[in-house]
Amino acid sequence: MSTAKINRFIQIFSDAFAQLSVSIAMPEIEHLAVLVHRVMENRTRKYHTAAHIFELCEDLSARPQLAALFHDLVYYQLDGSFPKKIAPLLNNVCHIENGGFILQELNNDALVMCADIFNFKPHQALPLYGGMNEFLSAVVAVRLMQPYLPMSDLIAIVACIEATIPFRGSDENGKDCSELLAEKVSIQSKKWLTELTDAEADEYLAQVMQEAISLSNIDVGGFAEPNPGKFLSATWLLIEEANTPLNTVGVYTLQDYRMALLRMEEFLHGLKAEVVFHQYADLPSDAEYQRLTEAARRNIVFSCDFLASKLTSIALIEAMALATGGDCPVSMFLGDIHGISSAPDRAENFLPPAHTASDVRPALLQIFEQGRSEETYSDLNASPLTAYLYRSLGHQGTFQAWSLARHFFSGQLSPEDFLKSLDHNLVMSIIQACMHIAASRQVGLQALHNMLSEAQH
């Protein structure tokens, strides 16, 4: 038996306030929990959901728990707007101007503190991918909890939320984001917590930074996941979440699918493992920080290899589609993902046995053939077509084909020239398999098959 999500939110809020010795009536706790629950269970969310919050809160103390509850509340580019229930809380904080959000003058001490910790100034444009969502989430947290919590707790909660802005390197002076956050927290504590002695202020800063680093590292903890299949499952939820067309299962096109995967591959390819996790004053220890960073590096490389291989196989199908009539739903060539009363016909069911190249990497092939750790609705869990390509070409051959696929995506290779550049037997086998599925393209596929055969001789 599992507890209802709303009741879990109520319990987390209740326990956190109790740990902080805050007396708050249960109807008010319910109000906070209902608001967070409603936003986090928005149907546009796939990864940034209640389940993600519950996972974060398991090993945190009260203030970072409260920060975790609020830190993903605003996700403008994902939700397409501010959630209805929290939009009024952002009135008189920012306004839209020339397509961006401009920070207004703030007349509330706690909101001024919030802006200072994020280093945002009135009249500046809030950076959509540089902390705007986290800042506005912190604003909501402050506005809702200011009646119950002292400034010392609000500063700590805002600092924890600021620490969850991901993947930031050092500034022009070589200071990393943790050092910069510590400086800002120190300034705010001296400004608002004047009753603290110097020793108490130092102790307070150390405690807040411990809480902030703990939350930020747990928030990206999946990058240290020892099971690459589990890391890929989380990555796939992020792909689905960030690409609305993929919600229309069986309708999204080859190019919809390819662009979704390509954006994630380009992001991960450019992501440095050193900026995933953070360290401050030996938290975590040097050895642990090194372990986390190396784990992140392994998962990033593995995921890039996985996505590049997937993109190579989808490039082959996209080229076939463009050569025979144009872009179309993935399901037209490969078959439906879900059947109505029985398993659907799939192109991979008509592929001949693959000869296994000598340089395949077993862990990667296993993911292609057996699937990621968790099912998703909008795509097959396993990647049988990619497994066939990877098994046939091997690792080096797949990445030679990936290089050609990128030329095809950029328009440097025509669909026909891209197909001619690949292993002939592989292409012929996949064309013949797709002819069993893509009934409306059978004539075109047969003509393509004949053209490629003639070009081979």
Side-chain angles (χ1 to χ4, degrees):
M1 300 291 286
S2 61
T3 304
K5 291 177 183 176
I6 179 58
N7 291 330
R8 291 187 69 179
F9 277 118
I10 291 170
Q11 192 63 55
I12 294 170
F13 270 112
S14 181
D15 290 347
F17 285 130
Q19 287 179 43
L20 296 174
S21 302
V22 174
S23 179
I24 176 170
M26 186 54 69
E28 295 173 40
I29 290 177
E30 285 185 6
H31 171 72
L32 295 172
V34 167
L35 184 148
V36 173
H37 175 251
R38 181 169 295 179
V39 173
M40 298 308 295
E41 289 299 281
N42 187 316
R43 63 182 180 177
T44 63
R45 306 277 183 120
K46 306 292 183 185
Y47 178 82
H48 295 94
T49 63
H52 175 57
I53 301 302
F54 297 150
E55 185 176 358
L56 292 183
C57 287
E58 284 183 3
D59 299 315
L60 294 172
S61 56
R63 294 190 302 205
Q65 272 192 339
L66 291 171
L69 288 164
F70 285 94
H71 83 292
D72 281 332
L73 217 57
V74 175
Y75 208 140
Y76 188 84
Q77 65 268 41
L78 178 59
D79 296 330
S81 63
F82 296 137
K84 183 178 179 181
K85 290 293 184 180
I86 66 175
L89 298 168
L90 300 175
N91 287 343
N92 303 319
V93 174
C94 63
H95 66 273
I96 295 179
E97 185 178 308
N98 297 324
F101 288 93
I102 305 300
L103 183 62
Q104 298 174 196
E105 294 282 354
L106 303 172
N107 55 11
N108 175 293
D109 287 349
L111 295 186
V112 170
M113 172 275 294
C114 187
D116 286 344
I117 283 183
F118 278 81
N119 200 30
F120 292 155
K121 308 299 182 186
H123 313 298
Q124 81 162 85
L126 296 174
L128 183 60
Y129 295 98
M132 184 189 88
N133 290 320
E134 291 83 359
F135 169 65
L136 296 179
S137 296
V139 166
V140 173
V142 165
R143 282 201 149 163
L144 289 173
M145 294 192 291
Q146 190 175 9
Y148 315 112
L149 298 178
M151 185 64 90
S152 58
D153 289 337
L154 294 177
I155 291 172
I157 290 167
V158 170
C160 286
I161 295 176
E162 196 275 351
T164 66
I165 302 173
F167 314 131
R168 293 175 288 172
S170 300
D171 71 0
E172 62 275 10
N173 297 315
K175 292 183 178 180
D176 66 26
C177 57
S178 300
E179 293 176 278
L180 295 170
L181 178 59
E183 290 178 1
K184 292 180 289 189
V185 171
S186 178
I187 291 169
Q188 295 307 304
S189 66
K190 291 174 182 176
K191 179 178 180 179
W192 301 108
L193 310 179
T194 55
E195 73 280 6
L196 297 181
T197 65
D198 289 346
E200 289 171 336
D202 290 344
E203 184 179 349
Y204 172 79
L205 174 62
Q207 182 62 39
V208 170
M209 289 306 299
Q210 179 182 357
E211 293 169 348
I213 294 297
S214 295
L215 175 59
S216 67
N217 284 347
I218 292 173
D219 194 30
V220 294
F223 277 87
E225 171 59 51
N227 178 353
K230 191 171 181 180
F231 177 74
L232 281 170
S233 292
T235 302
W236 214 260
L237 289 175
L238 289 168
I239 291 173
E240 292 184 3
E241 185 178 71
N243 294 277
T244 303
L246 299 191
N247 291 330
T248 52
V249 180
V251 176
Y252 60 77
T253 70
L254 289 158
Q255 290 181 346
D256 288 336
Y257 186 71
R258 183 253 292 179
M259 289 304 299
L261 268 60
L262 190 58
R263 280 189 287 269
M264 182 58 78
E265 191 279 336
E266 289 174 345
F267 164 71
L268 287 173
H269 189 77
L271 179 61
K272 296 180 179 179
E274 291 79 11
V275 302
V276 175
F277 294 98
H278 301 299
Q279 183 184 36
Y280 179 80
D282 297 325
L283 180 70
S285 67
D286 288 343
E288 176 63 5
Y289 177 71
Q290 186 65 27
R291 184 192 72 80
L292 292 170
T293 300
E294 288 303 316
R297 183 175 289 107
R298 286 194 301 272
N299 276 323
I300 291 168
V301 170
F302 189 91
S303 295
C304 286
D305 287 352
F306 175 87
L307 289 168
S309 302
K310 289 274 287 186
L311 281 159
T312 303
S313 64
I314 205 66
L316 199 155
I317 305 301
E318 182 182 336
M320 289 165 47
L322 295 180
T324 59
D327 189 27
C328 62
V330 174
S331 56
M332 183 185 291
F333 270 73
L334 298 183
D336 278 337
I337 295 172
H338 309 287
I340 298 174
S341 58
S342 60
D345 287 335
R346 295 280 307 172
E348 60 267 16
N349 297 336
F350 300 97
L351 290 170
H355 167 74
T356 304
S358 60
D359 67 334
V360 297
R361 297 186 178 179
L364 200 55
L365 182 61
Q366 182 180 10
I367 295 291
F368 293 140
E369 293 187 334
Q370 298 182 19
R372 304 179 299 274
S373 296
E374 298 176 21
E375 297 280 350
T376 60
Y377 184 73
S378 66
D379 191 25
L380 290 175
N381 192 35
S383 305
L385 180 66
T386 307
Y388 183 80
L389 179 145
Y390 185 75
R391 187 182 279 278
S392 300
L393 299 182
H395 194 80
Q396 182 176 350
T398 296
F399 279 82
Q400 289 172 344
W402 166 231
S403 178
L404 295 167
R406 285 184 290 184
H407 289 307
F408 164 56
F409 293 152
S410 68
Q412 295 173 266
L413 281 177
S414 70
E416 293 81 3
D417 287 340
F418 171 58
L419 293 171
K420 289 177 186 177
S421 71
L422 300 176
D423 180 87
H424 180 73
N425 292 332
L426 173 77
V427 173
M428 293 296 103
S429 296
I430 294 176
I431 288 176
Q432 290 171 342
C434 288
M435 287 174 66
H436 289 275
I437 305 298
S440 63
R441 300 286 181 100
Q442 281 182 347
V443 172
L445 286 170
Q446 185 62 60
L448 180 63
H449 184 282
N450 294 342
M451 183 273 289
L452 294 172
S453 295
E454 291 173 6
Q456 180 71 9
H457 296 299

